[in-house]
């Protein structure tokens, strides 16, 4: 991607989707510890809280999104592993969570071996897309289909992440406000370009959300300035603050909005969800 495109990103354009298909967003960053899973959990909760019907697809073998939404390992008899290997439909893997209107397709450690199992399949990069399309087709016959699917990707650019990008309308990039924030972002953008060219022409960058922001830290403020200069309008105005309640919530199997609604982290995720919805409305109006 040319430097000019990053500094002055093209205006958002509406992505045409099949009737009844949810908006599919992959949360991706090959760098670990940037708040990707935390954002998937809490953004999903915030979207559900403002009236959307949301499915979180846990595509990380570590299964942290599943644990953070209170689904214990013994409850994950059907998982995204079975979906990608063709042993089960996506609907059969979906579990309810403690959050109304928020649902989860959990993962297990079996995902570690799925790349080898499907490597020789002709449609290996489109397994998740086919599963989501099948879910949308079934939802078209029901009263209330999913409106958003959030895919929590592993912290690497492997076949699992490629499946997520091939299935998605857009990519949301959580970026930690720390010294190496921009390191690896260029590679992720290059991968998105390659997937768009070869597998999924509708794929776009949904936006970049800055996480673990500490306004008292001069480095955090410098990172914010650098990222906004680099990515321009793709960066959301809402920033997720460094907040102990956000860190505590997963150990209780809860999104932070259930754990402590009034904390700064919860309020930031509600604002982020509203900003995403507003951006979606702008797309549709364009």
């Amino acid at each position: 991607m040319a430097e000019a495109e990053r500094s002055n990103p093209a205006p958002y354009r509406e992505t045409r989707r099949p009737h009844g298909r949810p908006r599919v967003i992959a949360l991706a960053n090959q760098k670990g510890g940037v708040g990707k899973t935390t954002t998937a959990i809490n953004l999903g909760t915030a979207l559900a809280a403002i009236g959307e019907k949301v499915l979180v697809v846990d595509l990380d073998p570590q299964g942290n999104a599943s644990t953070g939404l209170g689904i214990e390992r013994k409850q994950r008899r059907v998982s995204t592993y079975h979906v990608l290997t063709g042993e089960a439909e996506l609907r059969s893997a979906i579990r309810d969570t403690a959050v109304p209107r928020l649902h989860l397709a959990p993962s297990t450690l079996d995902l570690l071996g799925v790349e080898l199992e499907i490597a020789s399949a002709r449609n290996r990069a489109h397994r998740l897309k086919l599963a989501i399309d099948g879910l949308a087709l079934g939802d078209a016959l029901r009263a209330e289909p999913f409106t958003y699917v959030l895919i929590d990707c592993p912290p690497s650019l492997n076949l699992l992440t490629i499946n997520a990008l091939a299935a998605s309308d857009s990519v949301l990039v959580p970026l930690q406000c720390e010294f190496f924030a921009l390191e690896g972002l260029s590679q992720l953008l290059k991968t998105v370009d390659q997937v768009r060219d070869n597998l999924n022409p509708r794929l776009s960058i949904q936006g970049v959300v800055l996480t673990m922001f500490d306004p008292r830290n001069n480095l955090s403020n410098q990172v914010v300035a650098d990222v906004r200069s680099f990515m321009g309008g793709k960066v959301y105005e809402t920033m997720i603050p460094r907040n102990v309640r956000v860190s505590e919530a997963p150990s209780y199997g809860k999104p932070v909005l259930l754990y402590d609604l009034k904390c700064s982290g919860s309020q930031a995720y509600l604002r982020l969800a509203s900003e995403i919805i507003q951006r979606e409305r702008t797309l549709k109006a364009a």
Side-chain angles (χ1 to χ4, degrees):
M1 182 181 291
E3 187 69 32
E5 290 181 32
R6 293 181 191 137
S7 301
N8 299 290
Y12 284 87
R13 293 183 176 85
E14 181 180 1
T15 298
R16 300 293 179 182
R17 288 170 284 153
H19 178 69
R21 191 177 191 272
R23 179 73 171 171
V24 183
I25 302 174
L27 286 88
N29 191 327
Q30 72 270 32
K31 192 177 188 307
V34 299
K36 177 178 54 58
T37 296
T38 301
T39 298
I41 292 171
N42 291 295
L43 176 58
T45 302
L47 287 169
I50 60 178
E52 302 295 331
K53 186 176 179 183
V54 184
L55 172 63
V56 173
V57 176
D58 192 348
L59 217 61
D60 188 342
Q62 298 177 86
N64 291 335
S66 303
T67 302
L69 285 171
I71 306 300
E72 298 180 6
R73 293 191 183 277
K74 63 183 180 182
Q75 297 176 299
R76 307 174 201 175
R77 289 183 290 273
V78 181
S79 69
T80 50
Y81 165 80
H82 300 99
V83 174
L84 291 179
T85 57
E87 297 176 40
E89 294 183 352
L90 180 54
R91 179 161 297 281
S92 65
I94 294 174
R95 303 295 307 272
D96 294 338
T97 72
V99 181
R101 305 178 67 82
L102 178 65
H103 307 264
L104 170 77
S107 82
T108 63
L109 287 171
D110 292 331
L111 275 178
L112 287 169
V114 77
E115 194 160 352
L116 290 176
E117 293 189 43
I118 68 174
S120 61
R122 293 184 63 184
N123 65 348
R124 60 186 176 274
H126 289 102
R127 291 294 182 94
L128 186 58
K129 177 186 183 301
L130 294 172
I132 292 174
D133 287 348
L135 177 68
L137 184 62
D139 274 349
L141 305 176
R142 296 177 173 83
E144 188 180 18
F146 288 105
T147 54
Y148 279 88
V149 173
L150 306 180
I151 306 172
D152 185 30
C153 298
S156 59
L157 298 178
N158 58 15
L159 186 56
L160 292 172
T161 301
I162 296 301
N163 259 268
L165 298 180
S168 297
D169 299 301
S170 60
V171 186
L172 179 63
V173 185
L175 210 61
Q176 184 180 359
C177 292
E178 53 100 43
F179 183 72
F180 294 109
L182 291 174
E183 188 175 277
L185 181 58
S186 295
Q187 181 58 47
L188 176 60
L189 295 176
K190 182 179 179 181
T191 299
V192 170
D193 286 342
Q194 291 172 339
V195 171
R196 184 190 299 116
D197 291 342
N198 298 291
L199 297 171
N200 180 6
R202 72 178 184 276
L203 186 65
S204 65
I205 298 293
Q206 172 83 15
V208 175
V209 56
L210 294 162
T211 63
M212 305 181 196
F213 174 68
D214 184 351
R216 301 166 299 179
N217 188 321
N218 288 335
L219 178 60
S220 282
N221 289 296
Q222 185 59 53
V223 169
V224 170
D226 289 347
V227 173
R228 292 195 186 281
S229 175
F230 186 66
M231 294 296 293
K234 294 288 188 182
V235 185
Y236 287 103
E237 291 299 321
T238 301
M239 295 182 289
I240 309 302
R242 188 177 292 278
N243 179 247
V244 67
R245 308 299 273 177
V246 173
S247 301
E248 290 173 350
S251 65
Y252 292 89
K254 294 180 179 180
V256 70
L257 277 83
L258 288 188
Y259 182 62
D260 185 351
L261 177 61
K262 295 183 179 179
C263 76
S264 61
S266 292
Q267 295 303 306
Y269 277 114
L270 286 170
R271 290 194 300 273
L272 178 63
S274 296
E275 192 174 348
I276 286 175
I277 293 294
Q278 185 56 49
R279 189 170 286 191
E280 291 290 310
R281 288 173 180 165
T282 301
L283 286 177
K284 293 176 182 178

